[in-house]
Amino acid sequence: MPVDQRQPTLRQNQLLKELRGCCDEMSGQQLYRALQDSPYAMGLATVYRNLRQLQQRGLVRCRHLPTGEALYAPVERDLHHLTCVDCGKTLPIEHCPLHNLSIPQEQSHNFQLIFHTLEFFGHCESCQKDQTLT
């Protein structure tokens, strides 16, 4: 199924504007609060529904923290992370090691790629020290 090429709705454009204006990822709750006192305010369920639609259309990427919280960013921002499974701390990876990687035609099954995510899980330096103390 091809990516939906229709123009984003007014609400979706407002969410994209907020995400693009932020230098980091944002949760649905943060987006909801950022729009709360604006003419573009919307309910929390509406924020999440529109984020899901933007994700399906290939305009927004979603990343889940070990806590279960979802963070969103525009797909043009190629973000990847190291995530500590103990404290949840995340550190960005400066350069994507998959950036120039391609899937061989015979393995792609005519799958239309929109974006990719890459995340490594482990223990941050602080949690490693805490583990050696116990």
Side-chain angles (χ1 to χ4, degrees):
M1 178 182 211
V3 177
D4 187 348
Q5 297 297 321
R6 291 176 293 164
Q7 292 296 315
T9 66
L10 180 63
R11 287 180 169 165
Q12 291 169 354
N13 275 324
Q14 283 309 120
L15 292 171
L16 282 169
K17 181 179 176 184
E18 287 294 324
L19 288 170
R20 289 177 176 145
C22 180
C23 62
D24 202 2
E25 301 163 306
M26 294 180 78
S27 69
Q29 293 274 350
Q30 289 171 313
L31 285 161
Y32 166 75
R33 285 192 300 275
L35 295 172
Q36 202 166 16
D37 294 327
S38 80
Y40 304 104
M42 58 186 95
L44 187 57
T46 302
V47 168
Y48 280 109
R49 183 174 54 255
N50 280 283
L51 284 169
R52 177 74 178 138
Q53 290 169 353
L54 288 167
Q55 185 181 3
Q56 290 171 331
R57 295 171 76 184
L59 298 172
V60 167
R61 69 175 65 244
C62 177
R63 174 172 81 91
H64 290 87
L65 298 177
T67 61
E69 183 178 28
L71 299 177
Y72 300 87
V75 293
E76 60 266 16
R77 199 176 304 146
D78 197 18
L79 299 172
H80 305 292
H81 298 85
L82 302 168
T83 301
C84 180
V85 295
D86 285 338
C87 69
K89 179 180 181 178
T90 62
L91 299 169
I93 298 171
E94 293 298 320
H95 301 285
C96 175
L98 299 178
H99 195 66
N100 293 320
L101 185 69
S102 63
I103 297 173
Q105 179 85 23
E106 64 274 4
Q107 293 180 16
S108 73
H109 304 285
N110 291 324
F111 194 84
Q112 182 185 16
L113 296 177
I114 301 170
F115 62 89
H116 68 269
T117 59
L118 175 65
E119 191 163 10
F120 296 96
F121 296 90
H123 300 278
C124 70
E125 187 175 6
S126 177
C127 289
Q128 290 176 57
K129 288 178 184 175
D130 289 347
Q131 287 177 353
T132 59
L133 296 176
T134 56

